[in-house]
Amino acid sequence: MNFHLKSRNRVDGTENKTEIGRRNLLLGLAAGATAAAAMKGSKAEAQTREDPELLALADALPSLEADYLNALATRQDIIDRFASTWPRAPQQIYRYGDNCTEERDVDGLAFAHPEGGKSGLPGALISVGKPEHFEADIRYNKARLAHIMKTKSKRGRKFHEAWGARSEEALPLAKAYWADLEKAKSASGIEDANGRLAAAREALHAHVDQIMVFREKTMQGLVIKAQAMTAWGKVESFQRAFNIQANDWADAMAATVMRQAQLST
């Protein structure tokens, strides 16, 4: 998921404060319940052993967390090394319309006009045309000129001549920019790094989800869930903010805390 806006000063996705607050509260409750159980001792704990399947999920968690963190570090290293030399589009190919898209940096964040773009508002995204856009624009203006030259008034001639000339000037620049961009992507390996990071994040998410929905038997299961939430807390804040399981996990953690608190009394 890379839906970002940026100027030269990057603006990352905002933290989901509701998710963080709820998670921290639940982790605090979990810690309190664990401490209480350790001091009092738990008859239920002595008679019950944690489910082997949940223990196996707990054993696999550190490896998945490490895979994710390694993939994240690899991607960041690429960003740090290539950000200063990443191709920038010349202003002549700034254009809005078909076959136009936001100009993006190595990290996938969109560039923005610091002084305001087409809208005149600071932060407006920079949109650049692909070669196909300018080729189509050249054909269109030539066709319009051919029609206008058959008319008596010749109205619109200067307009289409000007726009046709702009697109003819922009076409080779667009071809060069997009070719340079593909070379930079290949040399940096950023697309492969993005793919590895997404796969590692998805694997971690699926694993944490398995742990959170598992009905534990003992206080050890509660601790395992707290560890899973801690591991997920290391994921980029933007990705966590769009985790559709966030409320389910919080509810599951709350239920676990209450269940184990009752067993410990």
Side-chain angles (χ1 to χ4, degrees):
M1 299 183 182
N2 283 318
F3 307 104
H4 299 275
L5 167 67
K6 92 175 246 184
S7 66
R8 265 298 104 188
N9 293 321
R10 182 169 302 125
V11 179
D12 292 325
T14 56
E15 187 75 35
N16 186 326
K17 293 183 179 178
T18 300
E19 179 188 348
I20 291 175
R22 178 182 283 193
R23 184 176 70 242
N24 288 345
L25 174 61
L26 291 174
L27 292 178
L29 289 172
T34 302
M39 288 188 293
K40 295 180 180 179
S42 171
K43 295 180 180 179
E45 185 79 24
Q47 297 172 355
T48 308
R49 300 181 69 85
E50 189 50 75
D51 193 302
E53 185 176 348
L54 182 56
L55 294 176
L57 290 171
D59 289 341
L61 180 63
S63 177
L64 291 168
E65 179 183 342
D67 288 345
Y68 168 78
L69 293 176
N70 287 336
L72 184 63
T74 297
R75 179 178 183 273
Q76 188 59 50
D77 178 65
I78 291 173
I79 291 170
D80 293 342
R81 288 188 291 115
F82 286 87
S84 63
T85 59
W86 202 249
R88 287 300 310 269
Q91 290 190 7
Q92 292 93 324
I93 71 169
Y94 288 5
R95 195 71 69 91
Y96 298 83
D98 293 338
N99 285 310
C100 297
T101 187
E102 294 85 4
E103 182 184 10
R104 295 184 181 275
D105 204 347
V106 59
D107 53 12
L109 302 180
F111 285 105
H113 296 272
E115 72 288 353
K118 184 178 180 181
S119 67
L121 298 175
L125 295 182
I126 296 175
S127 178
V128 296
K130 296 181 179 180
E132 295 83 356
H133 171 86
F134 297 106
E135 289 168 347
D137 195 60
I138 291 169
R139 290 193 298 269
Y140 169 75
N141 284 293
K142 283 184 176 180
R144 291 302 302 156
L145 281 170
H147 172 74
I148 289 170
M149 296 306 294
K150 296 177 182 178
T151 66
K152 184 176 181 179
S153 68
K154 305 295 189 294
R155 182 177 297 174
R157 174 182 175 180
K158 290 184 178 179
F159 174 86
H160 289 289
E161 284 178 343
W163 275 103
R166 289 181 188 178
S167 289
E168 286 178 352
E169 177 190 7
L171 179 58
L173 298 175
K175 289 181 177 179
Y177 166 73
W178 288 102
D180 289 344
L181 188 60
E182 288 305 312
K183 290 178 182 177
K185 288 180 179 179
S186 177
S188 66
I190 189 62
E191 292 188 330
D192 288 341
N194 285 336
R196 289 194 297 272
L197 179 61
R201 185 192 309 113
E202 184 176 340
L204 180 60
H205 180 277
H207 197 79
V208 170
D209 188 54
Q210 280 186 282
I211 291 174
M212 297 310 299
V213 301
F214 201 101
R215 188 178 178 89
E216 83 301 331
K217 295 181 178 180
T218 68
M219 187 65 72
Q220 185 179 9
L222 187 152
V223 174
I224 290 170
K225 292 185 179 184
Q227 291 170 336
M229 292 292 284
T230 299
W232 180 250
K234 297 177 183 178
V235 171
E236 311 104 298
S237 60
F238 180 80
Q239 297 294 339
R240 296 200 310 273
F242 286 89
N243 174 26
I244 60 175
Q245 273 80 37
N247 288 336
D248 293 339
W249 291 357
D251 292 342
M253 190 66 165
T256 298
V257 170
M258 296 305 296
R259 190 161 47 241
Q260 292 306 314
Q262 290 171 356
L263 289 176
S264 298
T265 56

